[in-house]
Amino acid sequence: MPVRKKKPDVVFNWHPNFRDVATLPDIKQVRTGFLINFGAIFFALVALGATLYFEVEIYKVNHETAVLTDQIEHNSAANKKALAATKEFVNKSKPMQFAAKFFAQKLPPLDLLSSLNDARPDNITFRAIEVASIVRDLGGGKKADVQRVTIQGTLASESELGLQEFVDKIVASPALKNRVGDPVKDRNIESHRDPLAGVFEFTITLTLKPAT
């Protein structure tokens, strides 16, 4: 017959609990994984926003550049037309300016041409006639605006003596009578012979007295 063993008596450990739970710190485990995920999403959104911003700015700059390029091309074509019109106007106005300047001379141009034509012998041909204003030193610190008549042409002759006779007639003409001063200083004749053409090419310069 088996012998029953007697169960040992169970003795529970006991000690007094003096802890104040309300004053103890919270030592529960905190999960930080979701914080890292939110941070990554935030920086991704910032990067995306910056990329979109710069793309928009680049698009604006390219669009403005294209608009300005079109305006430059349009204005360039308009400027070329304006320059062409200005050039044409200047070319057409030159004869009018020349005529206005010619008739504004103190020496009446038509009277001068008439006197020169009357004094011209048949063997003299005019090439150019110019009337210009110059400043002449009168001495003593005085200066005056005077006119200078320059005549260029050819003399068909074996001798250039006919040029002096022509100048004497010009000086005595109605347009220049008493207008040319010193025969040496105010009258100048330059000529050289062209053997091939058989003529003397000459330049006559007459300096007039100051207008009174």
Side-chain angles (χ1 to χ4, degrees), residues 7 24 27 35 50-52 54 60-61 67 95 97 103 105 115 121 128 135 142 144 149 154 157 160 175 181 190 192:
K7 294 181 180 180
L24 293 176
I27 58 173
L35 295 177
T51 302
L52 292 177
F54 286 116
K60 289 181 179 180
V61 171
V67 172
Q97 292 176 357
F103 285 101
Q105 298 288 340
S115 296
V135 177
K142 296 181 180 180
V149 180
T154 59
S157 175
E160 57 183 338
E190 296 179 0
H192 67 275

Side-chain angles (χ1 to χ4, degrees), residues 30-178:
V30 179
R31 297 178 60 87
T32 59
F34 70 93
L35 295 177
I36 297 175
N37 292 337
F38 282 140
I41 293 173
F42 172 77
F43 286 112
L45 291 176
V46 170
L48 179 61
T51 302
L52 292 177
Y53 172 78
F54 286 116
E55 289 293 334
V56 171
E57 291 299 318
I58 292 172
Y59 171 78
K60 289 181 179 180
V61 171
N62 292 335
H63 177 69
E64 292 176 356
T65 302
V67 172
L68 292 176
T69 301
D70 292 339
Q71 291 180 352
I72 291 173
E73 292 178 354
H74 180 268
N75 293 336
S76 177
N79 290 338
K80 288 181 179 179
K81 291 182 179 179
L83 289 175
T86 302
K87 185 176 181 180
E88 182 180 2
F89 172 78
V90 170
N91 292 334
K92 289 184 176 180
S93 65
K94 284 182 179 179
M96 294 183 290
Q97 292 176 357
F98 175 79
K101 185 177 180 181
F102 182 76
F103 285 101
Q105 298 288 340
K106 296 179 181 179
L107 178 64
L110 296 181
D111 293 346
L112 173 63
L113 293 177
S114 177
S115 296
L116 293 178
N117 186 62
D118 292 341
R120 182 185 65 86
D122 293 337
N123 60 346
I124 286 183
T125 302
F126 295 145
R127 287 185 176 175
I129 301 173
E130 179 184 12
V131 179
S133 295
I134 63 172
V135 177
R136 187 167 191 176
D137 188 359
L138 302 179
K142 296 181 180 180
K143 296 182 180 181
D145 292 333
V146 298
Q147 290 182 300
R148 175 172 290 172
V149 180
T150 303
I151 306 166
Q152 294 178 339
T154 59
L155 169 65
S157 175
E158 296 296 329
S159 173
E160 57 183 338
L161 295 177
L163 292 176
Q164 185 60 54
E165 296 177 0
F166 174 57
V167 171
D168 293 339
K169 289 183 179 180
I170 295 175
V171 173
S173 66
L176 298 179
K177 189 174 182 180
N178 299 324

